[in-house]
Amino acid sequence: MSMKRTNVYADPEDLAIIKEAAKRRGISEAEIIRQGIHLAAMANRVWDEPLFSRTFEGPGRTPSRTEVRDTVADAVHRETDTGNAA
C-alpha cells in the first residue's frame, strides 16, 4: 500500500500517550497514528446508500423474546429440513 506523508499538530499529552502505547504494544508511534487516522476516516465516511435501505413488514412493535426464539427456531428447522432433502 502506498503511503502519503502529511504533517499535523497534536496535543503533547496525546503524543505522550501514543509514545507509551507504542512501547507497550511493540509497534511504532506512526502505526498507532495511522490506525487513528483510519478510524477517523471511517467514522466520517459518507456511504452511497443508507444502512437500512429496505423496509420489512412486521407487526409494528418490538417482538417478544419468545417470538424471536420461535422465529429463529422455525428458520433453523426449515433450513435443516431443506438440507436433508437434497
Side-chain angles (χ1 to χ4, degrees):
M1 168 180 30
S2 175
M3 298 277 183
K4 185 172 179 179
R5 183 183 175 108
T6 188
N7 294 319
V8 298
Y9 291 96
D11 185 280
E13 291 177 10
D14 290 338
L15 293 175
I17 292 168
I18 290 170
K19 182 184 232 36
E20 185 179 303
K23 184 177 179 182
R24 183 178 63 250
R25 293 176 58 195
I27 62 175
S28 70
E29 294 171 42
E31 181 59 27
I32 292 177
I33 293 168
R34 280 191 291 273
Q35 290 171 1
I37 290 170
H38 179 69
L39 289 173
M42 294 307 291
N44 290 285
R45 182 176 177 179
V46 176
W47 299 92
D48 293 337
E49 63 181 63
L51 181 59
F52 298 107
S53 60
R54 296 183 289 169
T55 58
F56 300 94
E57 292 182 27
R61 61 174 176 72
T62 303
S64 69
R65 179 181 292 175
T66 303
E67 289 171 313
V68 171
R69 188 179 305 132
D70 291 345
T71 301
V72 170
D74 289 344
V76 169
H77 288 292
R78 278 194 307 276
E79 191 71 26
T80 303
D81 291 343
T82 304
N84 289 338

